[in-house]
């Protein structure tokens, strides 16, 4: 005599005796008037974590003045300044924006060597004042090619064509263009050396997330994301970095996570706008899946699904669950006799 089993429908409170002994004429376990059918699918599932973030621009820079005089022109907040253009003016003379990570600390002239010369050579080539054949952009030496290219830049900017980059004549920032976020000086005021004139960001769009430090191991650079914009539209992106230093706040300890949108134009021009980010933390490829509400919890542990055959027969197949895709409401399952295309019973919608 077969031993009686007990099965409880997940979330339904239904108890069935000897469920695996169902006959073809038996009704569905969930009740004929409260069920529907779904298909067992073979697909790729993704596990996600939902986070709140802030949409803005990457990078934050302070522009430090290195020349004495009077500030005669300053940019406007929100203005974009490109490499090779005047960032501001002192005594009517332009201070040129150039790309580089080494701050200006000396005059550069023929015979100079160093990392600051290397970034000057790279900038002159990038601005097409010289070809790579005329100046090696990786060279740290100020040669005749640098001299002639610098004179062309000075001529274009309206500076005296000396072929010498004097301290304060240019500002090096590790971006090819800057978006002005704050002016900290006053037009007509003194331009003291070492004073911060303005603050800026890059023009690259970015989402910043302060994630709970306990979740740091769940997210990594390269994880795909979906960004839900204030406009109601969604746009794809990728995790560009996950902070390694935690910050302790009033309520929790967090790490900084940066997101790069794949389609920055779709994000518009909003700055410091709240967004929601869905981060793909795990993926299961080419697996069988069913809706989560197709699962029947067994009293002794584990799950089963109620499969309906082409002849209308109902049978229970015990399954093991894998990855849950919360956004799709589906779950990875595996079990003997389970195959893609089969119909499974789900609660009526």
């Amino acid at each position: 005599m077969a031993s009686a089993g007990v099965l409880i429908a997940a979330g339904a409170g239904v108890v069935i005796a000897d469920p695996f002994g169902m006959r073809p004429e038996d009704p569905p376990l969930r009740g004929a008037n409260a069920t529907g059918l779904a298909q067992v699918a073979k697909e790729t599932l993704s596990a996600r974590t939902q986070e709140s973030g802030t949409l803005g621009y990457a990078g934050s820079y302070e522009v430090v003045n290195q020349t004495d005089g009077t500030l005669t022109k300053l940019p406007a907040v929100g203005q974009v300044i490109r490499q090779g253009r005047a960032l501001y003016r002192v005594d009517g003379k332009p201070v040129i924006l150039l790309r580089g990570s080494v701050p200006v600390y000396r005059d550069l002239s023929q015979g100079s060597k160093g990392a600051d010369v290397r970034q000057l050579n790279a900038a002159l080539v990038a601005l097409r004042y010289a070809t790579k054949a005329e100046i090696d952009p990786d060279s740290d030496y100020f040669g005749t090619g640098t001299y002639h290219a610098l004179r062309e830049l000075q001529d274009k900017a309206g500076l005296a064509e000396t072929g010498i980059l004097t301290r304060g004549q240019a500002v090096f920032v590790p971006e090819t263009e800057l978006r002005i976020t704050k002016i900290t000086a006053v037009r007509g005021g003194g331009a003291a050396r070492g004073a911060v004139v303005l603050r800026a960001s890059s023009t690259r769009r970015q989402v910043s997330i302060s994630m709970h430090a306990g979740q740091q191991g769940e997210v990594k650079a390269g994880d795909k994301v979906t960004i839900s914009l204030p406009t109601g539209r969604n746009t794809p992106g990728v995790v560009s970095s996950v902070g390694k230093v935690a910050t302790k706040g009033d309520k929790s300890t967090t790490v900084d996570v940066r997101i790069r949108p794949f389609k920055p134009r779709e994000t518009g021009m909003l700055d410091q706008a709240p967004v929601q980010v869905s981060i793909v933390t795990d993926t299961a490829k080419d697996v069988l899946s069913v809706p989560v509400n197709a699962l029947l919890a067994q009293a002794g542990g584990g799950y089963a699904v109620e499969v309906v055959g082409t002849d209308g027969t109902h049978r229970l197949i015990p399954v093991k669950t894998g990855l849950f895709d919360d956004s799709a409401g589906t779950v990875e399952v595996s079990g003997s006799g389970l195959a893609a295309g089969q119909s499974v019973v789900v609660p009526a919608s």
Side-chain angles (χ1 to χ4, degrees):
M1 179 177 180
S3 60
V6 178
L7 184 100
I8 302 174
V14 179
V15 179
I16 303 296
D18 196 13
F20 297 97
M22 295 179 68
R23 296 167 299 174
E25 65 270 21
D26 287 336
L29 296 181
R30 302 174 193 256
N33 297 324
T35 61
L37 295 178
Q39 299 293 310
V40 178
K42 188 172 186 180
E43 59 183 346
T44 296
L45 302 182
S46 298
R48 299 171 183 267
T49 181
Q50 305 290 330
E51 297 289 340
S52 297
T54 302
L55 173 64
Y57 294 87
S60 179
Y61 306 101
E62 290 187 333
V63 173
V64 179
N65 178 64
Q66 291 293 345
T67 188
D68 295 318
T70 300
L71 287 162
T72 51
K73 188 175 182 179
L74 291 165
V77 171
Q79 186 175 348
V80 173
I81 310 294
R82 293 178 174 80
Q83 178 175 219
R85 303 292 181 85
L87 194 54
Y88 60 96
R89 290 177 181 268
V90 177
D91 292 343
K93 298 176 182 178
V95 177
I96 303 167
L97 173 64
L98 295 176
R99 186 175 186 273
S101 58
V102 181
V104 173
Y105 65 94
R106 61 173 178 165
D107 294 346
L108 299 180
S109 59
Q110 276 193 280
S112 297
K113 292 186 67 176
D116 50 353
V117 176
R118 181 184 298 111
Q119 67 187 14
L120 173 61
N121 284 333
L124 291 170
V125 172
L127 289 167
R128 298 183 178 180
Y129 288 112
T131 65
K132 290 184 179 181
E134 294 168 327
I135 299 177
D136 180 358
D138 295 322
S139 172
D140 64 357
Y141 181 71
F142 193 127
T144 56
T146 308
Y147 170 82
H148 290 296
L150 179 56
R151 288 193 62 187
E152 287 193 41
L153 171 61
Q154 290 171 328
D155 178 52
K156 181 74 173 181
L159 292 165
E161 301 171 47
T162 62
I164 299 172
L165 186 68
T166 58
R167 180 181 176 184
Q169 199 172 80
V171 171
F172 284 93
V173 177
E175 301 287 347
T176 55
E177 54 185 21
L178 288 182
R179 175 181 171 274
I180 309 304
T181 57
K182 186 176 182 179
I183 303 297
T184 56
V186 178
R187 189 166 67 91
R193 291 192 184 214
V196 176
V197 176
L198 57 88
R199 293 185 175 89
S201 72
S202 75
T203 56
R204 291 175 285 111
R205 297 295 267 161
Q206 176 180 271
V207 174
S208 302
I209 296 174
S210 293
M211 179 178 287
H212 192 282
Q215 298 176 273
Q216 182 185 29
E218 299 176 10
V219 178
K220 63 184 183 301
D223 284 347
K224 301 296 189 298
V225 310
T226 299
I227 305 165
S228 298
L229 302 170
T231 59
R233 295 185 62 184
N234 292 333
T235 189
V238 64
V239 175
S240 55
S241 67
V242 178
K244 297 182 179 179
V245 178
T247 301
K248 188 173 183 179
D250 295 335
K251 297 182 179 180
S252 63
T253 301
T254 61
V255 293
D256 291 331
V257 177
R258 307 297 187 208
I259 307 292
R260 176 175 59 84
F262 283 142
K263 301 177 180 179
R265 289 187 178 181
E266 291 187 358
T267 65
M269 298 180 66
L270 290 174
D271 194 10
Q272 302 304 301
V275 294
Q276 292 296 313
V277 180
S278 176
I279 306 175
V280 177
T281 56
D282 197 6
T283 300
K285 296 183 178 180
D286 297 325
V287 296
L288 296 180
S289 71
V290 296
V292 173
N293 59 5
L295 296 176
L296 292 166
Q298 299 182 70
Y303 293 95
V305 293
E306 184 179 353
V307 175
V308 181
T310 56
D311 58 357
T313 59
H314 291 248
R315 63 191 178 104
L316 291 174
I317 296 181
V319 296
K320 291 183 179 181
T321 59
L323 192 70
F324 282 79
D325 190 331
D326 294 330
S327 62
T330 54
V331 58
E332 175 188 357
V333 289
S334 60
S336 178
L338 195 66
Q342 290 176 322
S343 296
V344 292
V345 177
V346 295
S349 57

